[in-house]
């Protein structure tokens, strides 16, 4: 059974986020509608465990590094419910999302950014085949301060052990 599947309305009350120090962006209501699963536009998928339990979500937003189609790339994100952290789901879900992009779109580069102190996400990305490109200085305003992030990418041509 795949780890990622399209979001269902019943998933939304679980996909609340906002409980980790790296996700402190102020009060947020539950999502009103499931994110679209289409890879070619901004969207998201639900992360499920092998037992079919809703564990979190992955999402992506398309970035544009130049005016042409070949300069687009998805920037991915992930949130897992605290009960499902630290058992490898973050690694697997981001590896599976990368595989979906490479298999079903012509994407060459996938990006992710995470706080310089978010060691769990840095490790999960590296285990999912992403490499660190550099540091985005104080790029994120969160919880009353600017925070620096590491930018990661995985290229279609990168060799990976995942
Ligand atoms: C970040 C997150 C996606 C990582 O997923 P995960 O399933 O918990 O991580 P994994 O179990 O795949 O572990 C990946 C690595 O991180 C390490 N790790 C896990 N939790 C950790 C922690 N709290 N501190 C340090 N390292 C940690 C694991 O040991 C593993 O390292 P290893 O490869 O050296 O063994 C998940 O913890 C999460 O959703 N956190 C809250 C939201 C968040 O931070 N999202 C990312 C925002 S950019």
């Amino acid at each position: 059974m795949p780890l990622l599947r399209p979001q269902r309305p019943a998933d939304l009350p679980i996909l609340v986020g906002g409980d980790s120090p790296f996700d402190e962006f102020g009060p947020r209501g539950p999502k009103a509608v499931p994110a679209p699963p289409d890879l070619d536009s901004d969207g998201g998928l639900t992360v499920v465990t092998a037992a079919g339990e809703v564990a979190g979500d992955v999402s992506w937003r398309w970035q544009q590094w130049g005016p042409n189609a070949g300069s687009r790339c998805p920037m991915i994100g992930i949130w897992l419910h605290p009960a499902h952290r630290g058992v490898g789901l973050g690694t697997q879900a981001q590896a599976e999302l990368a595989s979906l992009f490479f298999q079903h779109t012509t994407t060459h580069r996938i990006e992710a950014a995470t706080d310089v102190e978010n060691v769990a996400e840095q490790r999960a990305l590296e285990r999912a085949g992403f490499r660190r490109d550099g540091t985005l200085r104080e790029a994120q305003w969160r919880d009353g301060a600017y925070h620096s992030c590491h930018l990661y990418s995985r290229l279609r041509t990168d060799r990976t052990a995942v």
Side-chain angles (χ1 to χ4, degrees):
M1 181 176 158
L3 192 67
L4 303 178
R5 63 150 171 75
Q7 288 178 8
R8 300 171 185 161
D11 301 345
L12 301 184
I14 301 166
L15 307 178
V16 288
D19 63 305
S20 123
F22 305 112
D23 205 14
E24 280 277 349
F25 293 98
R28 274 179 276 179
K31 291 172 190 161
V33 290
D38 314 68
L39 295 171
D40 283 321
S41 48
D42 297 351
L45 293 166
T46 291
V47 180
V48 291
T49 65
E53 224 180 323
V54 173
D57 64 349
V58 292
S59 59
W60 56 90
R61 238 174 291 141
W62 284 85
Q63 312 287 342
Q64 195 86 44
W65 286 99
N68 55 343
S71 304
R72 292 175 84 218
C73 68
M75 165 79 80
I76 68 168
I78 183 167
W79 173 84
L80 296 178
H81 189 279
H84 295 285
R85 292 177 193 161
V87 292
L89 281 182
T91 301
Q92 292 170 46
Q94 291 176 103
E96 186 172 317
L97 184 58
S99 297
L100 286 176
F101 277 110
F102 290 140
Q103 194 173 347
H104 300 296
T105 75
T106 56
T107 300
H108 180 64
R109 171 186 168 89
I110 302 168
E111 293 183 349
T114 192
D115 194 283
V116 293
E117 293 180 3
N118 194 346
V119 179
E121 174 63 348
Q122 291 167 33
R123 288 292 304 142
L125 285 168
E126 284 160 8
R127 292 197 60 164
F130 286 74
R131 300 183 193 174
R132 191 183 292 179
D133 285 340
T135 303
L136 305 166
R137 296 186 307 138
E138 299 191 3
Q140 193 172 80
W141 175 261
R142 203 183 67 238
D143 197 21
Y146 284 106
H147 298 267
S148 296
C149 298
H150 291 317
L151 178 65
Y152 282 81
S153 66
R154 182 169 155 190
L155 304 184
R156 180 180 288 275
T157 46
D158 282 342
R159 290 171 61 113
T160 168
V162 176

